[in-house]
């Protein structure tokens, strides 16, 4: 049996592939950069949504207490949102009383920008509500 000899590249073949590793690195790194930035942006959107949702629920619980009011729930919601993600997310907060699951409840609704590019995005696209059973003093 005859072993085949390794075929060595000629100088003209090696010139064709010279510098291709640099180009491949740039293409792959650009693709990975966009992928990583997309994942980070999705994480930011979810963080803002969860923070605003939690603040609305906390404000509803605060306003539902027997010795509290809707204004105090509104103030609590605004303070939590401003402290966590910024004042631009606490501009449109509505509080009120409603029936929820057949029981009297306090509802806090927050409409905030949806962060599509960093923390900036179209306003009022993100709407969340927090509900809490109202305490009634008899």
């Amino acid at each position: 049996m005859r072993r085949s000899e390794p075929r060595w590249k000629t100088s003209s073949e090696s010139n064709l592939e010279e510098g291709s590793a640099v180009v491949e690195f740039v293409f792959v790194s650009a693709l990975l950069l966009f992928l990583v930035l997309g994942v980070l942006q999705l994480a930011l959107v979810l963080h803002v949504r969860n923070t605003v949702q939690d603040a609305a629920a906390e404000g509803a619980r605060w306003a539902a207490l027997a010795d509290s009011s809707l204004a105090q729930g509104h103030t609590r919601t605004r303070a939590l949102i401003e402290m966590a993600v910024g004042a631009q997310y606490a501009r449109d907060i509505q509080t009120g009383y409603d029936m929820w699951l057949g029981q009297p409840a306090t509802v806090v609704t927050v409409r905030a920008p949806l962060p599509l590019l960093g923390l900036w995005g179209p306003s009022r696209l993100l709407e969340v509500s927090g509900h809490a059973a109202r305490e009634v003093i008899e």
Side-chain angles (χ1 to χ4, degrees), residues 71-90:
Q72 289 174 325
H74 184 276
T75 304
R76 176 74 172 165
T77 303
R78 179 177 300 282
L80 289 171
I81 293 173
E82 286 178 354
M83 182 175 51
V85 291
Q88 72 265 26
Y89 292 94

Side-chain angles (χ1 to χ4, degrees), residues 5-77:
E5 294 293 323
R7 186 175 156 221
W8 300 102
K9 294 180 182 178
T10 63
S11 63
S12 63
E13 288 176 336
S14 64
N15 286 341
L16 292 176
E17 293 184 13
E18 194 171 300
S20 65
V22 175
V23 174
E24 289 174 7
F25 175 76
V26 169
F27 286 155
V28 170
S29 62
L31 183 64
L32 285 176
L33 178 67
F34 283 120
L35 184 65
V36 167
L37 289 177
V39 168
L40 287 176
Q41 187 62 42
L42 179 63
L44 178 65
V45 168
L46 291 175
H47 168 70
V48 168
R49 184 202 171 277
N50 289 341
T51 301
V52 172
Q53 173 69 44
D54 186 58
E58 175 66 22
R61 286 190 293 272
W62 195 273
L65 296 173
D67 60 344
S68 189
S69 68
L70 289 177
Q72 289 174 325
H74 184 276
T75 304
R76 176 74 172 165
T77 303

